[in-house]
Amino acid sequence: MAKLRVGVFGVRRGYDYIRALMVLGCDVVAICENREALRNEISGILGEGTKAYDNFDEFIKHDMDAVVLANYANEHAPFAIRCLKAGKHVFSEV
């Protein structure tokens, strides 16, 4: 069985999810974060196998099975809808 390929949108809150996904054997293949320093820090921890984005429109095009939404709570619904329309499974912490 292939590993689940997951992207995480919002890595400040999402870092705990990233660690849990890795323990569960998932591949964290993409992250999206608009704060450059934080994006670079987490990208450095994850390594070359994870693509880092600063733009959701580009992030959602990445080849992944599911997206964890760890952005601002009041913004989950519109991003969840966009993920679903792009054919991605969604985990919303809200």
Side-chain angles (χ1 to χ4, degrees):
M1 176 187 266
K3 287 186 174 185
L4 187 65
R5 297 164 300 145
V6 183
V8 177
F9 180 50
V11 297
R12 183 181 63 79
R13 293 178 57 93
Y15 187 61
D16 288 334
Y17 294 108
I18 290 169
R19 293 188 330 202
L21 289 164
M22 293 168 67
V23 168
L24 292 170
C26 299
D27 283 336
V28 179
V29 296
I31 60 171
C32 186
E33 174 61 53
N34 63 356
R35 292 168 283 202
E36 182 178 13
L38 186 55
R39 183 177 62 251
N40 290 341
E41 176 185 349
I42 302 304
S43 181
I45 292 169
L46 294 172
E48 293 181 18
T50 303
K51 174 79 172 158
Y53 296 92
D54 64 354
N55 178 294
F56 184 83
D57 292 329
E58 294 301 315
F59 166 76
I60 197 63
K61 294 176 189 174
H62 195 92
D63 184 21
M64 55 190 160
D65 304 307
V67 174
V68 173
L69 296 177
N71 55 319
Y72 296 113
N74 63 331
E75 297 177 349
H76 278 227
F79 285 106
I81 291 166
R82 290 177 66 191
C83 291
L84 292 169
K85 285 183 177 182
K88 316 292 187 206
H89 295 280
V90 177
F91 175 83
S92 173
E93 63 177 359
V94 177

